[in-house]
Amino acid sequence: MEYQIALLKGDGIGPEIVESAVAVLEKTGKAFGFTMAFHDYLLGGAAIDKTGVPLPQETVDGCLASDSVLLGAVGGPKWDDLPANIRPEKGLLQIRSILGLYTNLRPARLYPALAEKCMLRPDLVANGFDLVIVRELTGGIYFGERGRRTGKYGPEAYDTECYSVMEIERIARVAFSAAQKRRGKVTSVDKANVLESSRLWRETVHRVAEEYEGVTVEDMLVDNTAQQLIRNPAQFDVIVTSNMFGDILSDEMSQLTGSIGMLPSASLGDGTRGLYEPIHGSAPKYAGTGRCNPIATILSGAMMLRYSLNQNEAADCIENAVDQALSDGCRTRDIAGPEDTELSCTEMTKAILQRIEL
Ligand code: IPM
Ligand code: MG
């Protein structure tokens, strides 16, 4: 069995971290008896430089012909002044939408070995936490009507948050199914005290909840959620929310685990093809320094094995190797304490490779 995997390395540290994940995937595949063929395609700033657009047609075709897609990161100061429709980020939004990936899973748990790097007081995370944000990914304000016009006070700009019942229902179903396999609790995050789209969100989520036995649902306003994540992250199991709230809350959440360099994500649709990427950005400051943390991308590779290729044991194996490397004290810059020896991206990758075994 050979799986076809499209690689969208992107910009900044993207190429380095994707190379790390590929090395880990290759070794894991060997250990579990399957192979993967990797195909590079351009996305983001790298694509703009070569073709003039952030998402060339060849990339779209390549992704559509693959079993799954692994992405590094896009963007950087070099492309910041381009018009909105040819910015690197636009390519990322387009590929998510073209592949129909309306679900974004962003899990976070406290690694006991990294407890000291967690930004919270130790007593607040004494029992750890393990939550997943289910972010709606192809709707809401990211894709709503936008523009410039002349208003009451002169030139103005607007963006629109719009959700259909269908879009809310399908993401709610993902959240409830996920909760059934976890601890059975869904927190639906909105701003229903102000926004009409949130009121529809809330109503719809509750209607869908009735289809799911053994799952409880609670509503939480997004501002309150921002503080509850810090006050008591262990109260959450599955958080389901809109595109923009999910974007913001997942960056907040990353600080609970110690570093944004640790968090993977899976973008999924109705089929098995998914797009897997770290939640962090392209970190242009660290590009080429060899000092970035490959773990978020390596764990994204593990999610790919689990959700797209149904290779659950291989996915567990990668996750265990990461756990082991961390408990053995392996640390990249972002998770190193003053006493730790800092490993480079390549050294961390080697440390994880060494811990991959049957
Ligand atoms: C993310 C990123 C993207 C987003 C940007 C780069 C468009 O922040 O994946 O969280 O907002 O979705
Ligand atoms: Mg983000």
Side-chain angles (χ1 to χ4, degrees), residues 165-166 168-177 201-213 217:
V165 170
M166 184 280 285
I168 305 167
E169 280 175 355
R170 65 183 183 183
I171 196 70
R173 293 206 167 91
V174 173
F176 288 116
S177 311
W201 180 280
R202 200 175 267 215
E203 248 166 73
T204 310
V205 166
H206 281 268
R207 208 177 48 248
V208 172
E210 287 167 17
E211 299 165 20
Y212 291 83
E213 263 173 49
V217 58

Side-chain angles (χ1 to χ4, degrees), residues 48 52-55 82-91 94 146:
I48 295 172
V53 291
L55 179 65
L82 291 172
N85 62 339
I86 53 165
R87 283 181 62 100
E89 292 81 0
K90 182 76 185 177
Q94 282 172 332
R146 73 187 78 233

Side-chain angles (χ1 to χ4, degrees), residues 43-320:
L43 179 77
I48 295 172
D49 288 350
K50 288 224 171 85
T51 70
V53 291
L55 179 65
Q57 188 57 40
E58 204 193 325
T59 300
V60 174
D61 296 341
C63 291
L64 288 171
S66 306
D67 295 304
S68 209
V69 185
L70 184 65
L71 192 149
V74 296
K78 184 176 173 196
W79 306 280
D80 273 349
D81 298 324
L82 291 172
N85 62 339
I86 53 165
R87 283 181 62 100
E89 292 81 0
K90 182 76 185 177
L92 178 57
L93 298 180
Q94 282 172 332
I95 193 70
R96 287 172 177 170
S97 177
I98 292 172
L99 298 180
L101 308 173
Y102 58 84
T103 298
N104 189 213
L105 301 180
R106 299 191 159 187
R109 63 187 172 93
L110 186 69
Y111 286 84
L114 290 187
E116 277 174 22
K117 294 300 289 181
C118 170
M119 300 289 172
L120 301 184
R121 245 178 24 224
D123 59 304
L124 296 176
V125 288
N127 299 320
F129 60 83
D130 178 353
L131 62 98
V132 59
I133 294 187
V134 177
R135 170 190 178 196
E136 198 292 325
L137 199 62
T138 50
I141 200 164
Y142 274 54
F143 291 89
E145 197 189 317
R146 73 187 78 233
R148 302 274 176 125
R149 63 190 170 198
T150 304
K152 195 163 146 204
Y153 304 106
E156 61 180 28
Y158 63 96
D159 297 273
T160 328
E161 173 87 348
C162 175
Y163 269 111
S164 64
V165 170
M166 184 280 285
E167 290 170 304
I168 305 167
E169 280 175 355
R170 65 183 183 183
I171 196 70
R173 293 206 167 91
V174 173
F176 288 116
S177 311
Q180 277 182 331
K181 293 186 207 116
R182 295 171 49 99
R183 301 193 305 281
K185 181 177 174 191
V186 172
T187 306
S188 171
V189 173
D190 62 35
K191 186 70 186 173
N193 53 349
V194 179
L195 305 177
E196 195 55 33
S197 52
S198 281
R199 288 190 274 268
L200 180 67
W201 180 280
R202 200 175 267 215
E203 248 166 73
T204 310
V205 166
H206 281 268
R207 208 177 48 248
V208 172
E210 287 167 17
E211 299 165 20
Y212 291 83
E213 263 173 49
V215 180
T216 59
V217 58
E218 68 174 3
D219 300 303
M220 200 177 276
L221 296 172
V222 63
D223 47 350
N224 184 27
T225 312
Q227 59 156 342
Q228 294 298 334
L229 269 173
I230 288 172
R231 206 182 65 83
N232 177 18
Q235 71 183 285
F236 297 105
D237 179 16
V238 175
I239 291 178
V240 63
T241 192
S242 64
N243 206 340
M244 186 155 74
F245 293 162
D247 178 44
I248 298 169
L249 293 176
S250 58
D251 267 36
E252 179 185 349
M253 174 184 79
S254 71
Q255 286 308 308
L256 307 178
T257 62
S259 165
I260 196 166
M262 296 290 303
L263 296 196
S265 85
S267 302
L268 308 168
D270 288 325
T272 56
R273 187 192 304 111
L275 183 151
Y276 299 83
E277 57 174 317
I279 82 156
H280 61 71
S282 61
K285 196 169 130 198
Y286 292 104
T289 64
R291 298 182 76 199
C292 56
N293 185 350
I295 291 181
T297 317
I298 290 173
L299 292 175
S300 300
M303 290 185 91
M304 178 173 91
L305 296 183
R306 192 182 305 287
Y307 294 105
S308 285
L309 311 184
N310 203 20
Q311 294 283 354
N312 293 307
E313 284 174 21
D316 290 344
C317 170
I318 294 181
E319 287 165 0
N320 292 338

